[in-house]
Amino acid sequence: MKRVRKAVLPVAGLGTRILPAAKATPKNMLNVFDRPMLAHVVAEGRAAGIEHFVVVVGRGQSAIEDYFDRGFELESELASRGRDELIAQVRADLLAPGQMSFVRQMSPLGLGHAVWCARELIGDEPFAVMLPDMLMDATPGGLAQLVAAYEAVGGNVIAVEPAPEGEAHKYGIVALGAAVSGFDGRLAEMTGMVEKPAPGTQPSNLFISGRYVLQPQIFERLAAQEAGAGGEIQLTDAMIGLLERQPFHALTYDGVTYDCGDPVGLLRANVAVALKHPDLGAAARAALLALL
Ligand code: UTP
C-alpha cells in the first residue's frame, strides 16, 4: 500500500458566506486566535506525515505564498532590534524548501475542479484533501486519524461527523454498510453519498467534514468536468462515480469540526483555540468571562 505523502489544500473559493472579511484577505488567511486558519491546517497535515502541500489558489491570494516564505525585511528588522524570540515565532510555520507548491484555479468552478487542478503535482499516488476552512479540534489530529484508518483498510477514506440535529440537509451525507472491527464502530464501509439531502430523506446523520484520503483515479472522474449542485464541479459527484469501482470507508473521527467559512463558526474556532492555548489560554478565558 502506498503511503499518503501529499495533501491538496483548495483555497480558491469566493468565500461568499464570510464577505466582506474575505474580500481583500483570502478567507484561509483570516486569523484563528494566534495564526491564520491555513497555518493550523498545515500543522495538522504535518502531524499526519504529509511531506508536500499543494495549495490551489485563486487571484489576489499572494498573501498565502508570502506567509509561508521567509519574511526577509521583517526578520532583518527584528534581528537589528535583538528580538530573536520573535524571529523564531514568525518562522514556526515554515516548511522545508520544496514542501509547498501552488497552482492557480483560474475560475472558481467548484471544489472538484479545484482538486483536479492539482492532478499533475499529485501524480499516481493516494493523497489527502484538506478543506482549510474546516478546522478540526482533535487529538491525534483529524488527518492523522484518517491516515491511520487508511493504513488499515486502504482505498478511499473520508472523515465524517454527526450533523447537528435537523441540519443534515445542509451537508454532504454518507450511507454506511458494515463496521470495520478494531475501530470501536467508528470506521465503516461507505455505500453511498448524497449532497444536501431533502429533509427527512438522509441515509444517516453523518456529514463529510473536510478531510479525505483519495486514490488518484478520482482525477479521471473529475476530468469529465460535469457541473452538479449549484452549477459547480463537485468532489462528491466524482466520489460517487469512483464508488462503483473502488472501496470507500467513512471514519467518524474523534473530535470537533469548526466551519470557519461563516462568521459564527470562525468565532467558535477562535474561542476554542484561545481557551486551549498553552500560554494565553488563561488570559483568554478571563477576558471571555468578563465579556459574558
Ligand atoms: P466552500 O464550499 O466553503 O466555498 O469551499 P467557498 O467559496 O470557500 O465559500 P462560500 O460557500 O462561498 O462561503 C470549500 C473549500 O474549497 C475551496 C474553498 O476555498 C474552500 O477552502 N474551493 C471552493 C476552491 O478552491 N475552489 C472552488 O471553486 C470552490
Side-chain angles (χ1 to χ4, degrees):
M1 183 191 296
K2 285 189 184 169
R3 214 162 68 71
V4 180
R5 300 185 310 122
K6 298 181 182 177
V8 177
L9 280 63
V11 300
L14 296 177
T16 54
R17 288 169 299 145
I18 200 156
L19 288 172
K23 179 185 164 196
T25 304
K27 175 170 80 172
N28 298 276
M29 292 306 286
L30 295 175
N31 196 50
V32 178
F33 192 58
D34 62 346
R35 52 196 3 91
M37 197 188 297
L38 188 58
H40 289 280
V41 176
V42 168
E44 180 194 327
R46 291 171 86 176
I50 298 299
E51 295 165 2
H52 194 114
F53 294 86
V54 180
V55 188
V56 184
V57 291
R59 271 184 294 284
Q61 296 191 327
S62 54
I64 298 174
E65 276 184 71
D66 290 341
Y67 184 82
F68 288 98
D69 191 5
R70 288 282 292 278
F72 186 77
E73 286 171 4
L74 175 63
E75 286 186 22
S76 54
E77 189 59 42
L78 291 172
S80 72
R81 297 178 187 195
R83 302 297 306 272
D84 290 353
E85 81 290 359
L86 287 180
I87 295 177
Q89 270 182 33
V90 298
R91 285 187 187 170
D93 292 329
L94 301 194
L95 303 168
Q99 283 195 310
M100 186 173 268
S101 303
F102 295 86
V103 63
R104 281 271 181 117
Q105 184 189 24
M106 288 179 272
S107 307
L109 298 178
L111 172 60
H113 182 262
V115 172
W116 182 74
C117 288
R119 67 198 179 283
E120 297 294 343
L121 291 165
I122 296 298
D124 188 24
E125 59 181 284
F127 64 102
V129 175
M130 308 178 79
L131 304 192
D133 50 356
M134 302 296 266
L135 211 69
M136 290 190 157
D137 185 2
T139 313
L143 189 65
Q145 294 183 34
L146 201 62
V147 167
Y150 163 76
E151 284 170 356
V153 294
N156 303 270
V157 189
I158 313 296
V160 296
E161 185 180 335
E165 188 65 35
E167 291 196 9
H169 62 282
K170 293 184 182 170
Y171 298 98
I173 299 289
V174 298
L176 297 182
V180 175
S181 65
F183 283 85
D184 297 331
R186 292 187 301 106
L187 183 64
E189 195 188 330
M190 205 164 97
T191 55
M193 275 164 272
V194 47
E195 194 61 51
K196 300 187 178 60
T201 66
Q202 65 271 18
S204 75
N205 75 332
L206 295 172
F207 74 96
I208 300 172
S209 60
R211 301 290 182 272
Y212 314 69
V213 171
L214 297 171
Q215 295 297 321
Q217 288 73 28
I218 195 77
F219 293 122
E220 294 162 22
R221 295 284 163 171
L222 289 168
Q225 310 242 334
E226 283 161 11
E232 296 198 338
I233 299 167
Q234 299 284 356
L235 183 59
T236 306
D237 292 341
M239 292 195 298
I240 291 170
L242 192 57
L243 188 59
E244 291 166 8
R245 279 173 46 199
Q246 288 189 359
F248 273 73
H249 287 83
L251 176 76
T252 307
Y253 87 103
D254 187 11
V256 184
T257 305
Y258 299 107
D259 181 355
C260 301
D262 72 68
V264 176
L266 182 59
L267 175 66
R268 287 181 71 220
N270 267 282
V271 173
V273 172
L275 292 176
K276 287 191 174 179
H277 195 281
D279 302 326
L280 302 172
R285 179 177 300 276
L288 286 166
L289 285 172
L291 269 177
L292 290 168

